[in-house]
């Protein structure tokens, strides 16, 4: 009797998070990836697009095409999806503050292709609460942001029934330091805030289907058993909330549907080849358990801690997924972990911790009201995570243990890391200006006036956004219109001015800070800033918090500051040193501008330090420019950085010269 071939479950969607330089270059990359067996698109947008600025805006300088593709208007979106039939695609767009606008452009391009818009399949992330907590690409205050999230949801219910209008994103919460319990609770609280608002915008009979369209985007870290249990806890908690809080009877509408990118924060600059193993282990956390298996998976490239991955690097991550799905027998079995007592205990503990955190957030009035609380909790948790790595309590192979290494042949030679096209920004701006010159200006003005009225009157912003897209309005004009209607916002930093209770290992640094402060005649003043549009604030927050706990007088006002605003703070605060964090790759133009302004203001004597994902060649150029110190992710010993700062501002070496 021969063994019958077991039936196989359908694999998850294979995605690669991609986009860079220009729409044309990104289109070529998408078509190549699809030809290699990728089954869904995942679009990365650049920071100006994410924050509602055109490529020629002052704040966009150096940021165009760096961390994703610039999309300024319908022509860019048309080029991005050239020869890619959108009716047949499942497209995920990692876009939040400008989600209504990018979805409007996507719909307009689909219409031009002759697609049946009701058949469009995909997701806009559209999660603004995590932007206030961890990623920083918000535009407006929380209340109008929530309103635009549910505007998108209500519009898709009527016109794009297969579209996921919101992707509750706990991914960046984990990167900002969230414990598994916090990641569960903060994400679920965000989903509840959206559903509570959405109930007022859709007919009661349609609400269960809308609950069924909410999806999640999560992070899978290296503690893969805990991460697997976290995903099982997510499934059970979401089912519980949908049933008990929202009265959803149909199990298919209570299903926890999620996509994943595994943890880029854990990828190391040191011995980067080890990242291949990390990515595989993290992928197992979200695929092994059938009950909690992801619907879509995108894996980072092994060398993302060093710079932009090349097409080959992205292919390597795609092939990992394909080997797992097609060569192994994983998809032939029922859930491997049901009735496992160790798994059940861990899931129950995670659920208990998450329920307690959810209750606290509910007592505060929900996620929107609890933003300050959640942000401060993330900063505290991240400080504990970093302290564990510093002390060696948390082992990171190749970083704080087993650091002896052979030179890696994978990271040497010409082209080991892909460099952004230096001409791409000029090309993008030239095409943007040509677009503006060729359009019907009166039609654009009329469409933007309708959008402004919709925003102010409470009408759904989607129809007016689609009309503006068709008329030829730009991303910056859409952003300017909603800023005018709703106002701008600066999220809490989570870094209080009062020192924390953390003292272990800080005594020698505190003594050094006190000694240099005595020489200076006042407490060492340290201005921390984030120039440009990069909203990854974890590093800046942790440097500011550690400096505060070491006895420095810190000034940290949060993200998205212009070089001029930072220089003004250095002058007004009479700072002894300034520290800047930039992770988007725009460090060269931003530092050139800042150093010019420092000299013009007579502040050339104030040392400037810079941290970020900075290649060695760029670090040498920054030092030649006058930057005193350059730090990259391999510099994880924060106390060492604090002592470097003390040495930089110590007046005695200056007096001896």
């Amino acid at each position: 009797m021969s063994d019958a071939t077991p039936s196989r479950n359908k694999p998850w969607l294979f995605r690669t998070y991609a986009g860079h330089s220009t729409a044309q270059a990104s289109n070529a990359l998408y078509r190549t990836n699809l030809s290699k067996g990728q089954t869904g698109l995942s679009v990365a947008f650049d920071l100006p697009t994410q924050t509602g600025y055109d490529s020629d805006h002052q704040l966009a300088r150096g940021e165009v095409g760096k961390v994703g593709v610039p999309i300024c208007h319908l022509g860019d979106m048309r080029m991005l999806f050239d020869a890619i039939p959108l009716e047949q695609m499942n497209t995920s767009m990692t876009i939040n503050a400008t989600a209504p606008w990018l979805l409007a452009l996507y719909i307009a391009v689909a219409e031009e292709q002759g697609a049946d818009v009701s058949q469009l399949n995909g997701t806009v992330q559209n999660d603004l609460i995590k932007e206030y907590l961890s990623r920083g690409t918000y535009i407006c205050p929380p209340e109008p942001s929530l309103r635009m999230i549910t505007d998108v949801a209500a519009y898709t219910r009527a016109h794009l029934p297969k579209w996921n209008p919101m992707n509750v994103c706990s991914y960046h919460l984990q990167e900002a330091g969230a414990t598994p319990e916090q990641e569960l609770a903060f994400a679920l609280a965000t989903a509840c805030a959206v559903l509570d608002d959405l109930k007022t915008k859709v007919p009661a009979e349609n609400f269960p289907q809308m609950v069924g369209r909410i999806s999640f985007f999560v992070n899978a870290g290296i503690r893969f058993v805990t991460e697997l249990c976290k995903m099982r806890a997510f499934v059970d908690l979401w089912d519980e909330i949908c049933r008990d809080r929202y009265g959803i009877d149909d199990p298919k509408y209570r299903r926890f549907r999620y996509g994943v990118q595994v943890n880029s924060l854990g990828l190391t600059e040191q011995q980067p080849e080890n990242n291949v193993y990390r990515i595989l282990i993290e992928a197992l956390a979200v695929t092994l358990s059938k009950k909690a298996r992801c619907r879509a998976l995108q894996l980072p490239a092994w060398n993302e801690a060093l710079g932009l991955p090349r097409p080959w690097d992205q292919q390597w991550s795609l092939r990992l997924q394909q080997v797992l799905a097609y060569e192994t027998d994983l998809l032939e079995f029922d859930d491997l972990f049901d009735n496992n007592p160790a798994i059940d205990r861990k899931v129950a503990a995670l659920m208990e911790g998450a329920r307690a955190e959810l209750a606290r957030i509910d007592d505060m009035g929900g996620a929107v009201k609890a933003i300050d609380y959640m942000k401060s909790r993330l900063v505290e948790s991240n400080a504990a995570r970093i302290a564990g790595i510093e002390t060696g309590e948390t082992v990171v192979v190749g970083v704080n243990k087993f650091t002896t290494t052979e030179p890696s042949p994978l990271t040497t030679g010409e082209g080991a890391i892909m460099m952004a096209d230096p001409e791409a920004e000029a090309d993008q701006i030239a095409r943007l200006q040509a677009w503006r010159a060729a359009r019907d200006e009166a039609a654009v003005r009329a469409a933007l006036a309708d959008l402004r009225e919709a925003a102010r009157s409470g009408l759904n912003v989607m129809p007016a956004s689609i009309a503006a897209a068709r008329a030829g309005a730009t991303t910056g004009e859409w952003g300017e219109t909603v800023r005018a209607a709703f106002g701008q916002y600066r999220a809490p930093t989570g870094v209080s001015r009062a020192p924390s209770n953390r003292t272990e290992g800080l005594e020698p640094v505190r003594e050094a800070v006190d000694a240099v402060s005595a020489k200076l005649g006042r407490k060492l003043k340290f201005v921390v800033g984030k120039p440009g549009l990069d909203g990854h604030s974890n590093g800046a927050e942790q440097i500011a918090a550690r400096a505060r706990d070491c006895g420095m007088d810190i000034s940290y006002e949060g993200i998205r500051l212009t070089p001029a605003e930072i220089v003004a703070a250095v002058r007004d605060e009479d700072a002894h040193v300034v520290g800047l964090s930039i992770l988007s790759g725009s460090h060269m133009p931003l530092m050139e501008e800042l150093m010019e302004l420092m000299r013009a203001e007579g502040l050339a004597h104030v040392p400037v330090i810079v941290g970020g994902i900075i290649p060695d060649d760029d670090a040498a150029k920054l030092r030649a420019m006058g930057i005193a110190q350059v730090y990259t992710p391999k510099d994880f010993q924060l106390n060492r950085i604090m002592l470097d700062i003390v040495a930089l501002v110590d007046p005695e070496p200056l007096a001896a010269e």
Side-chain angles (χ1 to χ4, degrees):
M1 181 178 172
S2 62
D3 290 338
T5 303
S7 62
R8 293 177 66 87
N9 295 305
K10 188 178 177 182
W12 52 89
L13 282 169
F14 303 155
R15 285 183 173 142
T16 304
Y17 183 51
H20 65 87
S21 303
T22 64
Q24 187 173 22
S26 298
N27 172 261
L29 180 63
Y30 296 163
R31 288 161 68 176
T32 299
N33 286 348
L34 289 168
S35 74
K36 291 176 179 177
Q38 187 174 301
T39 53
L41 293 176
S42 182
V43 182
F45 297 97
D46 74 355
L47 288 171
T49 305
Q50 291 184 51
T51 49
Y53 294 107
D54 283 332
S55 296
D56 58 355
H57 192 280
Q58 176 198 356
L59 286 172
R61 183 169 178 250
E63 306 278 16
V64 177
K66 280 287 193 331
V67 301
V69 60
I71 299 294
C72 289
H73 48 73
L74 184 59
D76 283 344
M77 192 65 104
R78 191 185 289 147
M79 186 184 292
L80 184 66
F81 293 111
D82 181 44
I84 298 174
L86 296 186
E87 195 173 327
Q88 299 171 30
M89 279 297 107
N90 188 308
T91 304
S92 172
M93 293 194 281
T94 302
I95 198 70
N96 295 285
T98 53
W101 175 242
L102 272 298
L103 181 58
L105 289 171
Y106 189 87
I107 291 168
V109 168
E111 289 172 339
E112 288 184 348
Q113 290 186 355
D116 178 352
V117 170
S118 70
Q119 297 304 304
L120 294 180
N121 205 325
T123 304
V124 277
Q125 193 166 95
N126 205 18
D127 178 354
L128 268 298
I129 291 177
K130 67 94 178 173
E131 294 301 321
Y132 305 128
L133 296 178
S134 55
R135 181 61 188 86
T137 65
Y138 52 79
I139 295 176
C140 301
E143 286 79 6
S145 292
L146 182 63
R147 171 250 172 116
M148 285 194 286
I149 291 171
T150 52
D151 277 1
V152 169
Y155 185 85
T156 59
R157 181 203 69 79
H159 302 284
L160 286 77
K162 295 183 175 182
W163 196 268
N164 298 321
M166 190 213 184
N167 196 230
V168 182
C169 181
S170 71
Y171 177 87
H172 293 104
L173 300 181
Q174 187 182 116
E175 291 220 324
T179 65
E181 293 88 346
Q182 288 169 346
E183 188 179 343
L184 287 162
F186 295 0
L188 292 169
T190 296
C192 290
V194 170
L195 290 178
D196 289 347
D197 194 60
L198 184 59
K199 279 186 88 166
T200 67
K201 292 188 176 182
V202 298
E205 64 270 20
N206 296 122
F207 185 68
Q209 294 100 303
M210 291 309 302
V211 174
R213 294 311 315 167
I214 299 293
S215 62
F216 291 75
F217 186 72
V218 305
N219 200 331
I222 195 65
R223 292 172 57 80
F224 89 103
V225 177
T226 297
E227 295 293 275
L228 185 150
C229 293
K230 179 189 77 181
M231 297 322 307
R232 290 173 69 92
F234 253 135
V235 169
D236 290 345
L237 284 167
W238 184 238
D239 185 76
E240 187 178 284
I241 287 168
C242 291
R243 184 188 64 238
D244 298 345
R245 183 173 179 135
Y246 296 109
I248 307 299
D249 295 324
D250 190 333
K252 75 180 179 187
Y253 295 139
R254 302 199 305 260
R255 192 177 299 142
F256 185 79
R257 300 176 314 114
Y258 77 102
V260 185
Q261 169 152 327
V262 307
N263 187 7
S264 290
L265 180 68
L267 302 181
T268 61
E269 182 181 356
Q270 304 95 313
Q271 301 180 23
E273 59 278 4
N274 298 343
N275 295 329
V276 175
Y277 305 132
R278 293 185 176 107
I279 291 165
L280 170 60
I281 290 166
E282 291 164 355
L284 293 176
V286 293
T287 54
L288 281 178
S289 174
K290 181 178 178 181
K291 174 184 175 182
R293 185 171 293 146
C294 62
R295 294 294 188 90
L297 178 58
Q298 57 195 45
L299 302 179
W302 67 282
N303 55 353
E304 283 189 20
L306 305 177
L308 278 175
R310 301 157 296 185
W312 183 88
D313 304 313
Q314 293 192 331
Q315 175 185 298
W316 201 8
S317 286
L318 175 62
R319 294 291 182 255
L320 185 156
Q321 293 202 56
Q322 291 166 329
V323 169
L324 182 60
Y326 294 118
E327 292 192 27
T328 77
D329 56 357
L330 174 65
L331 298 178
E332 296 171 10
F333 289 88
D334 291 334
D335 198 290
L336 308 177
F337 300 95
D338 282 349
N339 304 313
N340 179 311
I343 296 292
D344 289 347
R345 281 195 302 272
K346 183 62 176 177
V347 171
L350 290 172
M351 290 176 68
E352 182 181 357
R355 286 193 195 102
E357 197 71 82
L358 275 167
R360 273 190 287 274
I361 293 167
D362 269 340
D363 287 345
M364 294 176 188
V368 170
K369 295 283 194 295
I371 285 170
D372 282 38
Y373 163 76
M374 292 190 287
K375 179 65 177 178
S376 64
R377 292 277 284 153
L378 290 176
V379 172
E380 291 167 11
S381 297
N382 207 19
R385 181 188 69 81
I386 289 170
I389 295 171
E390 281 187 281
T391 62
E393 182 181 344
T394 300
V395 172
V396 183
V397 173
V399 173
N400 63 359
K401 196 164 187 176
F402 312 117
T403 55
T404 304
T405 185
E406 299 297 324
S408 169
L410 292 174
T411 59
T412 56
E414 190 70 27
I417 294 293
M418 191 172 83
M419 303 302 293
D421 180 358
E423 305 302 318
E425 183 167 335
D427 173 67
Q428 172 68 14
I429 290 172
R431 284 185 296 100
L432 169 61
Q433 291 170 346
W435 175 268
R436 288 199 196 105
R439 67 189 185 176
D440 182 338
E441 199 64 28
V444 171
R445 295 297 136 210
L448 291 172
D450 290 344
L451 173 63
R452 190 176 305 113
E453 180 55 29
R456 287 177 174 163
S457 68
L459 286 173
N460 192 305
V461 299
M462 281 303 299
S465 295
I466 294 167
R470 292 186 191 121
T474 68
T475 297
E477 289 164 341
W478 186 90
E480 191 179 312
T481 301
V482 300
R483 283 182 180 91
F486 300 132
Q488 298 202 60
Y489 180 72
R490 186 168 288 283
T493 67
V495 182
S496 69
R497 297 192 75 84
S500 73
N501 295 323
R502 190 173 294 105
T503 58
E504 189 177 352
L506 297 187
E507 289 81 0
V509 188
R510 284 179 169 172
E511 289 171 7
V513 171
D514 288 344
V516 81
S517 295
K519 294 177 191 176
L520 294 167
R522 60 189 172 95
K523 192 178 281 192
L524 192 163
K525 183 71 185 189
F526 182 25
V527 167
V528 180
K530 279 198 64 64
L533 298 177
D534 167 37
H536 281 110
S537 57
N538 304 336
E541 290 157 4
Q542 293 306 315
I543 289 288
R546 182 64 60 87
R548 173 203 65 195
D549 291 348
C550 290
M552 298 183 200
D553 181 7
I554 61 144
S555 172
Y556 174 55
E557 296 303 319
I559 64 169
R560 225 183 293 168
L561 299 170
T562 65
E565 288 171 325
I566 292 168
V567 171
V570 174
R571 181 194 62 226
D572 296 345
E573 300 273 359
D574 195 12
H576 296 111
V577 62
V578 55
L580 306 173
S581 169
I582 310 167
L583 278 84
S584 64
S586 60
H587 42 269
M588 295 305 296
L590 286 170
M591 288 304 94
E592 285 170 3
E593 182 179 350
L594 183 128
M595 295 304 283
E596 285 173 13
L597 290 171
M598 290 283 282
R599 286 189 289 271
E601 286 283 341
L603 297 170
H605 61 284
V606 179
V608 176
I609 60 177
V610 180
I613 300 175
I614 300 171
D616 290 343
D617 288 351
D618 283 1
K621 291 173 187 172
L622 289 170
R623 292 189 188 95
M625 196 188 295
I627 302 297
Q629 294 278 11
V630 178
Y631 298 103
T632 68
K634 70 177 181 293
D635 300 299
F636 65 94
Q637 293 281 4
L638 297 193
N639 286 355
R640 179 71 260 166
I641 294 173
M642 296 301 115
L643 290 171
D644 288 350
I645 291 169
V646 170
L648 280 174
V649 300
D650 191 334
E652 281 195 352
L654 295 175
E657 288 177 4

